Amino acid sequence: MWYRTDSGGVGVAFTDVSDGNLAAHTGDEPAQVARRRRRVEQKLGTGLVRYAWQVHGTAVLDVTGTASNATDLLAAPEADAVVSADGTPVGILTADCLPVVLVGRRAGGVPVLAVAHAGRPGLLAGVLQETVAAVRAHEALDLEAWIGPAVCGACYEVPTEMAQQAEEALPGVATTTSWGTDGLDLPGAARSILEDHGVRVREETADRAAWCTLEHDELYSYRRDKTRGRLAGLVWVSEESGRNA
Ligand SMILES: [Zn+2]
């Protein structure tokens, strides 16, 4: 486990290579992926985590009050963010793209939980704004975000034209890599977007070199290894285990 915290009755975690590949869409046997997911859920003490079928878009899947299709991992609905307002644990899968966990508080209710897959296309298309809106749609206030492990701005090289186009859409996102070529700082851009929308970003995620997938072998990096492995960003209600049992 790369990171785990308990914050006011909500658990947040990011897995690492020791937890294995948790994605069903990258070629691993779904039954094996399902077993690994169960192991992670047992380790964290969560119920069944709900994932989406990620497509680099901006659709938000709201699983509140819905039944899972746990028996068929390949049948997960297409979306790049998942929200729950009934305590259902939700997860997002990445290997260099940015996993973001969001938590909103409601007076007298369970917290609203959300995760988003913010790679370059999704970030530019507004997946974080859509996710924040979906959390607020449940009358959640006091939103807090964790920006998970992702390739950092010193390591994420892109073609010059792509960097220029991204910079026009999201001023400040363009960077120079540590070897002097054009790059993008997705974690930095995500932080700006979240803060512009009134979301408090957890400081422990601010040191992006320390949270860089490409620089740490304990994290899956598609750019480094062309791996099938995906790490999971997870959020659950930790004080009310059994609520969804
Ligand atoms: Zn890096």
Side-chain angles (χ1 to χ4, degrees):
M1 200 61 59
W2 175 257
Y3 171 88
R4 177 181 183 171
T5 191
D6 190 298
S7 178
V10 173
V12 174
F14 296 100
T15 67
D16 61 21
V17 296
S18 70
D19 299 300
N21 169 44
L22 298 170
H25 64 280
T26 56
D28 272 5
E29 180 60 40
Q32 196 178 20
V33 172
R35 281 195 294 277
R36 293 191 198 114
R37 288 184 182 181
R38 292 303 91 73
R39 265 206 304 275
V40 168
E41 287 157 4
Q42 284 163 6
K43 191 192 282 189
L44 298 173
T46 77
L48 184 77
V49 175
R50 302 285 293 276
Y51 297 90
W53 191 268
Q54 301 168 197
V55 292
H56 286 286
T58 62
V60 180
L61 171 68
D62 193 328
V63 298
T64 307
T66 67
S68 78
N69 51 2
T71 52
D72 187 359
L73 270 49
L74 305 179
E78 284 189 5
D80 285 273
V82 190
V83 175
S84 85
D86 60 0
T88 302
V90 293
I92 205 80
L93 302 160
T94 58
D96 292 339
C97 287
L98 192 65
V100 174
V101 169
L102 275 169
V103 175
R105 308 284 176 172
R106 290 185 297 180
V110 293
V112 180
L113 312 177
V115 285
H117 164 229
R120 182 183 52 81
L123 197 69
L124 291 173
V127 69
L128 291 181
Q129 292 91 323
E130 295 290 330
T131 310
V132 169
V135 171
R136 292 212 165 107
H138 286 288
E139 290 169 1
L141 302 169
D142 194 21
L143 270 61
E144 193 172 23
W146 284 254
I147 296 176
V151 62
C152 82
C155 293
Y156 182 26
E157 180 182 273
V158 297
T160 299
E161 192 181 349
M162 186 182 282
Q164 287 169 347
Q165 284 170 355
E167 179 67 21
E168 279 171 30
L170 274 180
V173 71
T175 57
T176 304
T177 63
S178 59
W179 52 95
T181 58
D182 288 304
L184 295 176
D185 175 11
L186 300 188
R191 182 174 190 130
S192 299
I193 291 168
L194 290 164
E195 290 179 345
D196 284 350
H197 287 77
V199 179
R200 196 168 64 255
V201 176
R202 295 281 290 216
E203 280 303 327
E204 66 259 49
T205 70
D207 182 350
R208 298 316 306 182
W211 286 61
C212 177
T213 44
L214 196 115
E215 294 178 64
H216 296 278
D217 289 342
E218 310 97 297
L219 296 167
Y220 287 119
S221 171
Y222 186 78
R223 289 202 152 219
R224 187 186 60 228
D225 298 327
K226 298 285 175 280
T227 177
R228 308 179 159 183
R230 298 291 182 271
L231 61 87
L234 302 160
V235 59
W236 67 98
V237 175
S238 56
E239 275 177 0
E240 308 207 28
S241 58
R243 171 174 284 270
N244 297 297

